[in-house]
Short mmCIF file of all heavy atoms in Angstrom, two decimals:
data_model
loop_
_atom_site.label_atom_id
_atom_site.label_comp_id
_atom_site.label_asym_id
_atom_site.label_seq_id
_atom_site.Cartn_x
_atom_site.Cartn_y
_atom_site.Cartn_z
N MET A 22 -28.16 -25.08 -60.93
CA MET A 22 -29.38 -24.47 -60.80
C MET A 22 -29.42 -23.28 -61.72
O MET A 22 -28.56 -22.44 -61.64
CB MET A 22 -29.76 -24.10 -59.38
CG MET A 22 -30.87 -23.20 -59.21
SD MET A 22 -31.16 -22.59 -57.54
CE MET A 22 -32.30 -23.85 -57.01
N LYS A 23 -30.48 -23.11 -62.50
CA LYS A 23 -30.68 -22.01 -63.48
C LYS A 23 -31.27 -20.83 -62.68
O LYS A 23 -32.31 -20.99 -62.08
CB LYS A 23 -31.64 -22.46 -64.63
CG LYS A 23 -31.94 -21.30 -65.54
CD LYS A 23 -30.81 -20.96 -66.47
CE LYS A 23 -31.30 -20.02 -67.55
NZ LYS A 23 -30.70 -18.67 -67.45
N LEU A 24 -30.58 -19.74 -62.65
CA LEU A 24 -31.04 -18.54 -61.98
C LEU A 24 -31.98 -17.77 -62.90
O LEU A 24 -31.84 -17.72 -64.06
CB LEU A 24 -29.89 -17.61 -61.53
CG LEU A 24 -28.93 -18.23 -60.43
CD1 LEU A 24 -27.86 -17.19 -60.29
CD2 LEU A 24 -29.67 -18.55 -59.25
N SER A 25 -32.89 -17.09 -62.19
CA SER A 25 -33.80 -16.20 -62.81
C SER A 25 -32.92 -15.11 -63.30
O SER A 25 -31.99 -14.54 -62.77
CB SER A 25 -34.79 -15.73 -61.79
OG SER A 25 -35.39 -14.47 -62.26
N ALA A 26 -33.28 -14.41 -64.50
CA ALA A 26 -32.57 -13.26 -65.00
C ALA A 26 -32.62 -12.12 -64.05
O ALA A 26 -31.70 -11.26 -64.06
CB ALA A 26 -33.14 -12.88 -66.42
N ASN A 27 -33.56 -12.00 -63.26
CA ASN A 27 -33.65 -10.97 -62.31
C ASN A 27 -32.55 -10.97 -61.22
O ASN A 27 -32.31 -9.94 -60.60
CB ASN A 27 -34.93 -10.80 -61.65
CG ASN A 27 -36.14 -10.45 -62.56
OD1 ASN A 27 -35.91 -9.65 -63.41
ND2 ASN A 27 -37.29 -11.12 -62.34
N PHE A 28 -31.93 -12.08 -60.97
CA PHE A 28 -30.99 -12.25 -59.85
C PHE A 28 -29.66 -12.67 -60.41
O PHE A 28 -28.75 -12.93 -59.46
CB PHE A 28 -31.58 -13.14 -58.83
CG PHE A 28 -32.82 -12.58 -58.21
CD1 PHE A 28 -34.02 -13.17 -58.54
CD2 PHE A 28 -32.77 -11.48 -57.41
CE1 PHE A 28 -35.23 -12.66 -58.00
CE2 PHE A 28 -33.97 -11.02 -56.90
CZ PHE A 28 -35.18 -11.54 -57.19
N GLU A 29 -29.44 -12.76 -61.67
CA GLU A 29 -28.05 -13.16 -62.11
C GLU A 29 -27.02 -12.21 -61.77
O GLU A 29 -25.87 -12.61 -61.43
CB GLU A 29 -28.14 -13.25 -63.66
CG GLU A 29 -28.67 -14.55 -64.21
CD GLU A 29 -28.59 -14.62 -65.66
OE1 GLU A 29 -27.79 -13.95 -66.27
OE2 GLU A 29 -29.33 -15.43 -66.20
N PHE A 30 -27.31 -10.93 -61.51
CA PHE A 30 -26.34 -9.94 -61.09
C PHE A 30 -25.70 -10.30 -59.66
O PHE A 30 -24.54 -9.88 -59.36
CB PHE A 30 -26.87 -8.57 -61.08
CG PHE A 30 -27.84 -8.24 -59.99
CD1 PHE A 30 -27.41 -7.65 -58.88
CD2 PHE A 30 -29.17 -8.60 -60.10
CE1 PHE A 30 -28.30 -7.35 -57.86
CE2 PHE A 30 -30.03 -8.28 -59.16
CZ PHE A 30 -29.69 -7.68 -58.02
N LEU A 31 -26.46 -10.98 -58.83
CA LEU A 31 -25.98 -11.42 -57.53
C LEU A 31 -25.10 -12.58 -57.50
O LEU A 31 -24.41 -12.82 -56.60
CB LEU A 31 -27.18 -11.74 -56.58
CG LEU A 31 -28.08 -10.60 -56.20
CD1 LEU A 31 -29.33 -11.14 -55.54
CD2 LEU A 31 -27.40 -9.61 -55.30
N ASN A 32 -25.08 -13.33 -58.62
CA ASN A 32 -24.46 -14.57 -58.66
C ASN A 32 -22.89 -14.51 -58.43
O ASN A 32 -22.39 -15.41 -57.80
CB ASN A 32 -24.69 -15.36 -59.94
CG ASN A 32 -24.49 -16.78 -59.82
OD1 ASN A 32 -24.74 -17.31 -58.79
ND2 ASN A 32 -24.19 -17.46 -60.92
N GLN A 33 -22.25 -13.60 -58.93
CA GLN A 33 -20.72 -13.45 -58.71
C GLN A 33 -20.42 -13.30 -57.40
O GLN A 33 -19.49 -13.97 -56.90
CB GLN A 33 -20.16 -12.43 -59.65
CG GLN A 33 -20.08 -12.82 -61.12
CD GLN A 33 -19.32 -11.89 -61.94
OE1 GLN A 33 -19.34 -10.63 -61.67
NE2 GLN A 33 -18.58 -12.36 -62.89
N GLU A 34 -20.90 -12.31 -56.69
CA GLU A 34 -20.55 -12.04 -55.31
C GLU A 34 -21.28 -12.65 -54.18
O GLU A 34 -20.81 -12.99 -53.15
CB GLU A 34 -20.49 -10.48 -55.09
CG GLU A 34 -19.34 -9.74 -55.66
CD GLU A 34 -19.36 -8.33 -55.11
OE1 GLU A 34 -19.07 -8.17 -53.84
OE2 GLU A 34 -19.54 -7.46 -55.85
N PHE A 35 -22.54 -13.03 -54.52
CA PHE A 35 -23.41 -13.60 -53.54
C PHE A 35 -24.26 -14.83 -54.04
O PHE A 35 -25.49 -14.79 -54.17
CB PHE A 35 -24.43 -12.51 -52.99
CG PHE A 35 -23.86 -11.23 -52.61
CD1 PHE A 35 -24.02 -10.07 -53.45
CD2 PHE A 35 -23.10 -11.09 -51.48
CE1 PHE A 35 -23.40 -8.91 -53.15
CE2 PHE A 35 -22.55 -9.83 -51.19
CZ PHE A 35 -22.70 -8.72 -52.01
N PRO A 36 -23.47 -15.91 -54.38
CA PRO A 36 -24.23 -16.99 -55.06
C PRO A 36 -25.31 -17.63 -54.18
O PRO A 36 -26.36 -18.04 -54.71
CB PRO A 36 -23.13 -18.03 -55.40
CG PRO A 36 -21.99 -17.57 -54.48
CD PRO A 36 -22.07 -16.03 -54.22
N HIS A 37 -25.13 -17.68 -52.93
CA HIS A 37 -26.19 -18.25 -52.02
C HIS A 37 -27.40 -17.35 -51.94
O HIS A 37 -28.51 -17.79 -51.93
CB HIS A 37 -25.60 -18.54 -50.66
CG HIS A 37 -24.53 -19.62 -50.60
ND1 HIS A 37 -23.16 -19.38 -50.83
CD2 HIS A 37 -24.71 -20.93 -50.60
CE1 HIS A 37 -22.50 -20.50 -50.79
NE2 HIS A 37 -23.48 -21.46 -50.75
N VAL A 38 -27.20 -16.02 -51.94
CA VAL A 38 -28.24 -15.15 -51.94
C VAL A 38 -28.97 -15.27 -53.26
O VAL A 38 -30.19 -15.26 -53.42
CB VAL A 38 -27.76 -13.68 -51.78
CG1 VAL A 38 -28.87 -12.65 -51.95
CG2 VAL A 38 -27.10 -13.51 -50.33
N ALA A 39 -28.21 -15.32 -54.39
CA ALA A 39 -28.83 -15.31 -55.75
C ALA A 39 -29.75 -16.67 -55.84
O ALA A 39 -30.84 -16.59 -56.43
CB ALA A 39 -27.81 -15.30 -56.83
N GLU A 40 -29.20 -17.73 -55.23
CA GLU A 40 -29.94 -18.93 -55.30
C GLU A 40 -31.23 -18.90 -54.55
O GLU A 40 -32.29 -19.25 -55.01
CB GLU A 40 -29.16 -20.03 -54.77
CG GLU A 40 -29.77 -21.48 -54.85
CD GLU A 40 -28.86 -22.57 -54.30
OE1 GLU A 40 -27.65 -22.33 -54.16
OE2 GLU A 40 -29.40 -23.62 -54.04
N SER A 41 -31.24 -18.24 -53.28
CA SER A 41 -32.39 -18.13 -52.46
C SER A 41 -33.40 -17.18 -53.15
O SER A 41 -34.67 -17.38 -53.26
CB SER A 41 -32.09 -17.56 -51.14
OG SER A 41 -31.55 -18.60 -50.38
N ALA A 42 -32.98 -16.07 -53.70
CA ALA A 42 -33.80 -15.07 -54.42
C ALA A 42 -34.46 -15.69 -55.67
O ALA A 42 -35.67 -15.48 -55.94
CB ALA A 42 -33.01 -13.89 -54.72
N SER A 43 -33.68 -16.44 -56.38
CA SER A 43 -34.24 -17.01 -57.60
C SER A 43 -35.26 -18.09 -57.23
O SER A 43 -36.29 -18.16 -57.89
CB SER A 43 -33.06 -17.66 -58.42
OG SER A 43 -33.53 -18.22 -59.65
N TYR A 44 -34.96 -18.86 -56.24
CA TYR A 44 -35.92 -19.87 -55.75
C TYR A 44 -37.22 -19.17 -55.34
O TYR A 44 -38.30 -19.64 -55.76
CB TYR A 44 -35.35 -20.72 -54.63
CG TYR A 44 -36.35 -21.88 -54.28
CD1 TYR A 44 -36.19 -23.13 -54.89
CD2 TYR A 44 -37.38 -21.66 -53.31
CE1 TYR A 44 -37.06 -24.17 -54.47
CE2 TYR A 44 -38.20 -22.68 -52.97
CZ TYR A 44 -38.03 -23.97 -53.51
OH TYR A 44 -38.83 -24.90 -53.21
N ALA A 45 -37.13 -18.15 -54.60
CA ALA A 45 -38.27 -17.34 -54.17
C ALA A 45 -39.19 -16.95 -55.29
O ALA A 45 -40.33 -17.04 -55.35
CB ALA A 45 -37.91 -16.27 -53.30
N GLU A 46 -38.53 -16.46 -56.32
CA GLU A 46 -39.27 -15.97 -57.47
C GLU A 46 -39.92 -16.98 -58.35
O GLU A 46 -41.07 -16.98 -58.65
CB GLU A 46 -38.26 -15.11 -58.44
CG GLU A 46 -38.98 -14.58 -59.60
CD GLU A 46 -38.08 -13.76 -60.53
OE1 GLU A 46 -36.97 -14.26 -60.74
OE2 GLU A 46 -38.56 -12.83 -61.08
N ARG A 47 -39.20 -18.09 -58.47
CA ARG A 47 -39.75 -19.25 -59.32
C ARG A 47 -40.83 -19.98 -58.66
O ARG A 47 -41.72 -20.53 -59.31
CB ARG A 47 -38.63 -20.26 -59.64
CG ARG A 47 -37.67 -19.82 -60.63
CD ARG A 47 -36.76 -21.03 -61.11
NE ARG A 47 -36.49 -21.99 -60.20
CZ ARG A 47 -35.37 -21.88 -59.34
NH1 ARG A 47 -34.48 -20.85 -59.47
NH2 ARG A 47 -35.15 -22.80 -58.54
N HIS A 48 -40.91 -19.94 -57.34
CA HIS A 48 -41.96 -20.74 -56.56
C HIS A 48 -43.03 -19.88 -55.94
O HIS A 48 -43.76 -20.35 -55.17
CB HIS A 48 -41.23 -21.61 -55.58
CG HIS A 48 -40.44 -22.64 -56.22
ND1 HIS A 48 -39.74 -22.60 -57.31
CD2 HIS A 48 -40.25 -23.99 -55.74
CE1 HIS A 48 -39.11 -23.63 -57.64
NE2 HIS A 48 -39.38 -24.56 -56.67
N ILE A 49 -43.17 -18.59 -56.39
CA ILE A 49 -44.12 -17.74 -55.73
C ILE A 49 -45.55 -18.25 -55.84
O ILE A 49 -46.37 -18.14 -54.89
CB ILE A 49 -44.02 -16.34 -56.28
CG1 ILE A 49 -44.84 -15.36 -55.45
CG2 ILE A 49 -44.42 -16.29 -57.76
CD1 ILE A 49 -44.37 -15.02 -54.10
N TYR A 50 -45.94 -18.80 -56.86
CA TYR A 50 -47.25 -19.41 -57.08
C TYR A 50 -47.47 -20.77 -56.72
O TYR A 50 -48.51 -21.18 -56.15
CB TYR A 50 -47.78 -19.11 -58.60
CG TYR A 50 -47.83 -17.67 -58.98
CD1 TYR A 50 -46.88 -17.21 -59.93
CD2 TYR A 50 -48.66 -16.81 -58.41
CE1 TYR A 50 -46.85 -15.85 -60.25
CE2 TYR A 50 -48.66 -15.49 -58.69
CZ TYR A 50 -47.89 -14.99 -59.59
OH TYR A 50 -47.87 -13.67 -59.96
N GLY A 51 -46.45 -21.66 -56.89
CA GLY A 51 -46.53 -23.05 -56.62
C GLY A 51 -46.36 -23.40 -55.18
O GLY A 51 -46.98 -24.29 -54.60
N ASP A 52 -45.59 -22.61 -54.39
CA ASP A 52 -45.22 -22.84 -53.03
C ASP A 52 -44.94 -21.56 -52.40
O ASP A 52 -43.79 -21.20 -52.04
CB ASP A 52 -43.97 -23.90 -52.99
CG ASP A 52 -43.88 -24.38 -51.60
OD1 ASP A 52 -44.64 -23.92 -50.60
OD2 ASP A 52 -42.99 -25.22 -51.37
N PRO A 53 -45.89 -20.72 -52.09
CA PRO A 53 -45.75 -19.30 -51.59
C PRO A 53 -45.09 -19.31 -50.23
O PRO A 53 -44.33 -18.47 -49.98
CB PRO A 53 -47.15 -18.78 -51.54
CG PRO A 53 -48.10 -19.90 -51.77
CD PRO A 53 -47.34 -20.97 -52.42
N ARG A 54 -45.34 -20.28 -49.38
CA ARG A 54 -44.70 -20.27 -48.07
C ARG A 54 -43.20 -20.53 -48.16
O ARG A 54 -42.48 -19.78 -47.53
CB ARG A 54 -45.31 -21.43 -47.25
CG ARG A 54 -44.85 -21.35 -45.73
CD ARG A 54 -45.50 -22.43 -44.93
NE ARG A 54 -46.95 -22.06 -44.86
CZ ARG A 54 -47.85 -22.97 -44.57
NH1 ARG A 54 -47.56 -24.19 -44.29
NH2 ARG A 54 -49.07 -22.66 -44.52
N ALA A 55 -42.77 -21.42 -49.02
CA ALA A 55 -41.27 -21.61 -49.24
C ALA A 55 -40.69 -20.38 -49.94
O ALA A 55 -39.68 -20.03 -49.62
CB ALA A 55 -41.07 -22.92 -50.08
N SER A 56 -41.54 -19.79 -50.79
CA SER A 56 -41.06 -18.58 -51.48
C SER A 56 -40.77 -17.41 -50.44
O SER A 56 -39.67 -16.77 -50.55
CB SER A 56 -42.11 -18.12 -52.47
OG SER A 56 -41.71 -16.98 -53.18
N CYS A 57 -41.61 -17.32 -49.49
CA CYS A 57 -41.47 -16.27 -48.53
C CYS A 57 -40.27 -16.55 -47.68
O CYS A 57 -39.44 -15.70 -47.28
CB CYS A 57 -42.61 -16.11 -47.56
SG CYS A 57 -44.03 -15.38 -48.39
N PHE A 58 -40.06 -17.87 -47.35
CA PHE A 58 -38.96 -18.27 -46.56
C PHE A 58 -37.61 -17.90 -47.31
O PHE A 58 -36.71 -17.29 -46.64
CB PHE A 58 -38.88 -19.72 -46.21
CG PHE A 58 -37.61 -20.25 -45.64
CD1 PHE A 58 -37.33 -20.07 -44.31
CD2 PHE A 58 -36.68 -20.80 -46.53
CE1 PHE A 58 -36.13 -20.53 -43.81
CE2 PHE A 58 -35.48 -21.26 -45.94
CZ PHE A 58 -35.18 -21.09 -44.53
N HIS A 59 -37.54 -18.20 -48.53
CA HIS A 59 -36.24 -17.98 -49.27
C HIS A 59 -36.06 -16.46 -49.54
O HIS A 59 -34.92 -16.02 -49.60
CB HIS A 59 -36.29 -18.69 -50.60
CG HIS A 59 -36.08 -20.19 -50.37
ND1 HIS A 59 -34.81 -20.72 -50.16
CD2 HIS A 59 -36.90 -21.23 -50.31
CE1 HIS A 59 -34.97 -21.99 -49.98
NE2 HIS A 59 -36.16 -22.37 -50.09
N ALA A 60 -37.10 -15.69 -49.72
CA ALA A 60 -36.97 -14.27 -49.89
C ALA A 60 -36.40 -13.65 -48.63
O ALA A 60 -35.53 -12.87 -48.63
CB ALA A 60 -38.25 -13.62 -50.26
N ARG A 61 -36.92 -14.10 -47.46
CA ARG A 61 -36.39 -13.59 -46.23
C ARG A 61 -34.98 -13.97 -46.04
O ARG A 61 -34.11 -13.14 -45.59
CB ARG A 61 -37.34 -14.01 -45.04
CG ARG A 61 -36.77 -13.42 -43.75
CD ARG A 61 -37.48 -13.93 -42.57
NE ARG A 61 -36.86 -13.49 -41.32
CZ ARG A 61 -37.39 -12.76 -40.39
NH1 ARG A 61 -38.61 -12.36 -40.50
NH2 ARG A 61 -36.70 -12.44 -39.25
N HIS A 62 -34.62 -15.19 -46.30
CA HIS A 62 -33.32 -15.75 -46.15
C HIS A 62 -32.34 -14.88 -47.04
O HIS A 62 -31.29 -14.54 -46.61
CB HIS A 62 -33.25 -17.18 -46.63
CG HIS A 62 -31.93 -17.85 -46.40
ND1 HIS A 62 -31.17 -18.22 -47.44
CD2 HIS A 62 -31.38 -18.21 -45.23
CE1 HIS A 62 -30.12 -18.76 -46.96
NE2 HIS A 62 -30.11 -18.74 -45.56
N ALA A 63 -32.72 -14.62 -48.24
CA ALA A 63 -31.86 -13.76 -49.17
C ALA A 63 -31.71 -12.34 -48.50
O ALA A 63 -30.55 -11.87 -48.47
CB ALA A 63 -32.48 -13.72 -50.52
N LEU A 64 -32.70 -11.79 -47.93
CA LEU A 64 -32.63 -10.41 -47.42
C LEU A 64 -31.69 -10.52 -46.23
O LEU A 64 -30.87 -9.47 -46.09
CB LEU A 64 -34.09 -9.96 -47.03
CG LEU A 64 -34.15 -8.69 -46.33
CD1 LEU A 64 -33.54 -7.50 -47.27
CD2 LEU A 64 -35.51 -8.33 -45.89
N GLU A 65 -31.90 -11.49 -45.27
CA GLU A 65 -31.05 -11.59 -44.15
C GLU A 65 -29.58 -11.68 -44.51
O GLU A 65 -28.73 -10.95 -43.89
CB GLU A 65 -31.43 -12.83 -43.35
CG GLU A 65 -32.64 -12.75 -42.53
CD GLU A 65 -33.15 -14.02 -41.91
OE1 GLU A 65 -32.51 -15.07 -42.24
OE2 GLU A 65 -34.03 -13.97 -41.08
N ARG A 66 -29.20 -12.37 -45.49
CA ARG A 66 -27.88 -12.62 -45.87
C ARG A 66 -27.32 -11.22 -46.46
O ARG A 66 -26.20 -10.90 -46.16
CB ARG A 66 -27.71 -13.62 -46.86
CG ARG A 66 -27.84 -14.96 -46.29
CD ARG A 66 -27.62 -16.11 -47.34
NE ARG A 66 -27.23 -17.29 -46.55
CZ ARG A 66 -26.53 -18.26 -47.02
NH1 ARG A 66 -25.99 -18.25 -48.19
NH2 ARG A 66 -26.25 -19.48 -46.33
N LEU A 67 -28.10 -10.57 -47.25
CA LEU A 67 -27.60 -9.28 -47.78
C LEU A 67 -27.49 -8.20 -46.73
O LEU A 67 -26.40 -7.48 -46.77
CB LEU A 67 -28.56 -8.80 -48.87
CG LEU A 67 -28.55 -9.45 -50.17
CD1 LEU A 67 -29.63 -9.09 -51.13
CD2 LEU A 67 -27.13 -9.27 -50.89
N VAL A 68 -28.43 -8.13 -45.86
CA VAL A 68 -28.26 -7.11 -44.76
C VAL A 68 -27.14 -7.36 -43.89
O VAL A 68 -26.33 -6.51 -43.52
CB VAL A 68 -29.58 -7.02 -44.01
CG1 VAL A 68 -29.46 -6.15 -42.74
CG2 VAL A 68 -30.69 -6.46 -44.90
N MET A 69 -26.91 -8.67 -43.51
CA MET A 69 -25.79 -9.03 -42.59
C MET A 69 -24.47 -8.65 -43.38
O MET A 69 -23.44 -8.21 -42.76
CB MET A 69 -25.87 -10.43 -42.16
CG MET A 69 -27.03 -10.63 -41.20
SD MET A 69 -27.01 -12.34 -40.70
CE MET A 69 -28.59 -12.44 -39.95
N ARG A 70 -24.46 -8.94 -44.68
CA ARG A 70 -23.22 -8.63 -45.51
C ARG A 70 -22.89 -7.17 -45.42
O ARG A 70 -21.69 -6.75 -45.40
CB ARG A 70 -23.37 -9.12 -46.87
CG ARG A 70 -22.28 -8.87 -47.75
CD ARG A 70 -21.17 -9.79 -47.49
NE ARG A 70 -20.11 -9.58 -48.50
CZ ARG A 70 -18.86 -9.85 -48.33
NH1 ARG A 70 -18.46 -10.48 -47.31
NH2 ARG A 70 -18.05 -9.64 -49.24
N ILE A 71 -23.95 -6.25 -45.43
CA ILE A 71 -23.71 -4.89 -45.46
C ILE A 71 -22.94 -4.44 -44.17
O ILE A 71 -21.97 -3.74 -44.19
CB ILE A 71 -24.95 -4.05 -45.50
CG1 ILE A 71 -25.58 -4.27 -46.94
CG2 ILE A 71 -24.84 -2.61 -45.18
CD1 ILE A 71 -26.96 -3.76 -47.17
N TYR A 72 -23.31 -5.07 -43.03
CA TYR A 72 -22.72 -4.81 -41.81
C TYR A 72 -21.27 -5.27 -41.77
O TYR A 72 -20.35 -4.63 -41.07
CB TYR A 72 -23.48 -5.33 -40.58
CG TYR A 72 -24.57 -4.45 -40.21
CD1 TYR A 72 -25.85 -4.54 -40.84
CD2 TYR A 72 -24.46 -3.51 -39.17
CE1 TYR A 72 -26.93 -3.82 -40.44
CE2 TYR A 72 -25.53 -2.73 -38.90
CZ TYR A 72 -26.65 -2.77 -39.47
OH TYR A 72 -27.75 -1.99 -39.06
N LYS A 73 -20.92 -6.42 -42.55
CA LYS A 73 -19.56 -6.88 -42.43
C LYS A 73 -18.73 -6.01 -43.46
O LYS A 73 -17.48 -5.86 -43.11
CB LYS A 73 -19.51 -8.34 -43.04
CG LYS A 73 -20.07 -9.26 -42.03
CD LYS A 73 -20.05 -10.71 -42.58
CE LYS A 73 -20.68 -11.74 -41.51
NZ LYS A 73 -20.75 -13.04 -42.12
N VAL A 74 -19.20 -5.44 -44.48
CA VAL A 74 -18.51 -4.67 -45.47
C VAL A 74 -18.30 -3.22 -44.98
O VAL A 74 -17.14 -2.73 -45.17
CB VAL A 74 -19.16 -4.78 -46.77
CG1 VAL A 74 -18.48 -3.80 -47.80
CG2 VAL A 74 -19.10 -6.23 -47.32
N ASP A 75 -19.28 -2.60 -44.43
CA ASP A 75 -19.29 -1.25 -44.06
C ASP A 75 -18.79 -1.05 -42.57
O ASP A 75 -19.63 -1.29 -41.70
CB ASP A 75 -20.61 -0.58 -44.27
CG ASP A 75 -20.64 0.85 -44.14
OD1 ASP A 75 -19.68 1.48 -43.71
OD2 ASP A 75 -21.65 1.54 -44.57
N ASN A 76 -17.64 -0.75 -42.42
CA ASN A 76 -16.99 -0.48 -41.07
C ASN A 76 -17.55 0.66 -40.31
O ASN A 76 -17.48 0.76 -39.05
CB ASN A 76 -15.51 -0.42 -41.07
CG ASN A 76 -14.91 -1.55 -41.63
OD1 ASN A 76 -15.42 -2.73 -41.41
ND2 ASN A 76 -13.74 -1.52 -42.31
N THR A 77 -18.31 1.52 -40.93
CA THR A 77 -18.93 2.70 -40.19
C THR A 77 -20.28 2.29 -39.49
O THR A 77 -20.65 3.04 -38.63
CB THR A 77 -19.26 3.93 -41.23
OG1 THR A 77 -20.26 3.47 -42.12
CG2 THR A 77 -18.01 4.38 -41.99
N LEU A 78 -20.72 1.15 -39.79
CA LEU A 78 -21.93 0.71 -39.11
C LEU A 78 -21.57 -0.18 -37.96
O LEU A 78 -20.70 -1.07 -38.11
CB LEU A 78 -22.84 -0.13 -40.08
CG LEU A 78 -23.40 0.52 -41.25
CD1 LEU A 78 -24.12 -0.54 -42.23
CD2 LEU A 78 -24.40 1.66 -40.87
N SER A 79 -22.24 0.06 -36.87
CA SER A 79 -22.00 -0.82 -35.71
C SER A 79 -23.13 -1.90 -35.67
O SER A 79 -24.19 -1.52 -35.82
CB SER A 79 -21.92 -0.08 -34.44
OG SER A 79 -23.14 0.77 -34.32
N PRO A 80 -22.76 -3.14 -35.35
CA PRO A 80 -23.75 -4.15 -35.38
C PRO A 80 -24.85 -3.97 -34.28
O PRO A 80 -24.45 -3.43 -33.20
CB PRO A 80 -22.89 -5.40 -35.15
CG PRO A 80 -21.47 -5.02 -35.25
CD PRO A 80 -21.38 -3.64 -35.11
N PRO A 81 -26.05 -4.38 -34.57
CA PRO A 81 -27.03 -4.12 -33.52
C PRO A 81 -26.91 -5.14 -32.28
O PRO A 81 -26.14 -6.14 -32.42
CB PRO A 81 -28.29 -4.39 -34.27
CG PRO A 81 -27.91 -5.36 -35.30
CD PRO A 81 -26.49 -4.92 -35.71
N GLU A 82 -27.47 -4.72 -31.17
CA GLU A 82 -27.35 -5.65 -30.04
C GLU A 82 -28.18 -6.91 -30.31
O GLU A 82 -27.76 -7.97 -29.87
CB GLU A 82 -27.91 -4.92 -28.88
CG GLU A 82 -27.10 -3.80 -28.34
CD GLU A 82 -27.67 -3.04 -27.16
OE1 GLU A 82 -28.54 -3.69 -26.48
OE2 GLU A 82 -27.27 -1.86 -27.00
N ILE A 83 -29.28 -6.79 -30.93
CA ILE A 83 -30.17 -7.96 -31.33
C ILE A 83 -29.75 -8.41 -32.63
O ILE A 83 -30.03 -7.56 -33.65
CB ILE A 83 -31.67 -7.66 -31.11
CG1 ILE A 83 -31.95 -7.22 -29.76
CG2 ILE A 83 -32.48 -8.76 -31.54
CD1 ILE A 83 -33.34 -6.64 -29.49
N THR A 84 -29.18 -9.53 -32.87
CA THR A 84 -28.76 -9.97 -34.22
C THR A 84 -29.69 -10.85 -34.96
O THR A 84 -29.52 -11.97 -35.38
CB THR A 84 -27.39 -10.66 -34.15
OG1 THR A 84 -27.61 -11.78 -33.22
CG2 THR A 84 -26.27 -9.77 -33.62
N ASN A 85 -30.94 -10.25 -35.22
CA ASN A 85 -31.85 -10.84 -36.09
C ASN A 85 -32.20 -9.89 -37.15
O ASN A 85 -31.78 -8.68 -37.11
CB ASN A 85 -33.15 -11.38 -35.32
CG ASN A 85 -33.85 -10.27 -34.59
OD1 ASN A 85 -33.79 -9.12 -34.93
ND2 ASN A 85 -34.60 -10.68 -33.60
N LEU A 86 -33.09 -10.18 -38.04
CA LEU A 86 -33.39 -9.30 -39.17
C LEU A 86 -33.95 -7.94 -38.64
O LEU A 86 -33.58 -6.91 -39.12
CB LEU A 86 -34.34 -9.86 -40.12
CG LEU A 86 -34.69 -9.12 -41.33
CD1 LEU A 86 -33.43 -8.72 -42.20
CD2 LEU A 86 -35.68 -9.87 -42.24
N ASP A 87 -34.88 -8.00 -37.63
CA ASP A 87 -35.39 -6.76 -37.14
C ASP A 87 -34.30 -5.86 -36.59
O ASP A 87 -34.29 -4.66 -36.75
CB ASP A 87 -36.35 -7.02 -36.04
CG ASP A 87 -37.70 -7.74 -36.54
OD1 ASP A 87 -37.98 -7.58 -37.75
OD2 ASP A 87 -38.37 -8.38 -35.75
N GLY A 88 -33.37 -6.48 -35.85
CA GLY A 88 -32.32 -5.72 -35.23
C GLY A 88 -31.47 -5.06 -36.29
O GLY A 88 -30.98 -3.88 -36.26
N TYR A 89 -31.12 -5.74 -37.36
CA TYR A 89 -30.26 -5.27 -38.47
C TYR A 89 -30.89 -4.17 -39.19
O TYR A 89 -30.32 -3.31 -39.68
CB TYR A 89 -29.81 -6.45 -39.37
CG TYR A 89 -28.64 -7.16 -38.85
CD1 TYR A 89 -28.84 -8.47 -38.28
CD2 TYR A 89 -27.34 -6.69 -38.86
CE1 TYR A 89 -27.74 -9.18 -37.83
CE2 TYR A 89 -26.28 -7.38 -38.37
CZ TYR A 89 -26.51 -8.66 -37.85
OH TYR A 89 -25.41 -9.36 -37.38
N LEU A 90 -32.25 -4.29 -39.38
CA LEU A 90 -33.00 -3.34 -40.14
C LEU A 90 -33.11 -2.00 -39.23
O LEU A 90 -33.17 -0.97 -39.72
CB LEU A 90 -34.28 -3.78 -40.60
CG LEU A 90 -34.22 -4.93 -41.71
CD1 LEU A 90 -35.59 -5.38 -42.06
CD2 LEU A 90 -33.54 -4.41 -42.92
#
């Protein structure tokens, strides 16, 4: 899958996030509902990754996007 230039920087460490973000960008006009889904999916993966990497953060009690944010 060809990634958008805007999200190539994510490809090395977060290939699944890059794929979702690129899909969201490419399909914003043709399939906006799917675009929103993939944008949220990319955000969820990135935010959860922050909690795994940064030991100073304690995971929230509610483990959904709202809880993590």
Side-chain angles (χ1 to χ4, degrees):
M22 167 184 266
K23 175 79 171 113
L24 293 178
S25 160
N27 290 324
F28 299 107
E29 279 186 18
F30 72 96
L31 291 172
N32 203 32
Q33 281 190 326
E34 281 194 66
F35 312 107
H37 293 92
V38 173
E40 184 178 345
S41 288
S43 184
Y44 185 91
E46 182 182 38
R47 283 193 327 270
H48 291 36
I49 189 71
Y50 297 112
D52 192 356
R54 186 176 296 159
S56 179
C57 287
F58 170 81
H59 286 283
R61 181 183 172 124
H62 186 250
L64 178 62
E65 286 174 347
R66 286 183 162 209
L67 284 173
V68 170
M69 288 179 197
R70 178 73 176 160
I71 289 169
Y72 278 88
K73 287 180 183 176
V74 172
D75 190 346
N76 294 331
T77 63
L78 296 173
S79 55
E82 292 178 23
I83 301 170
T84 57
N85 60 23
L86 184 57
D87 292 338
Y89 278 106
L90 292 177

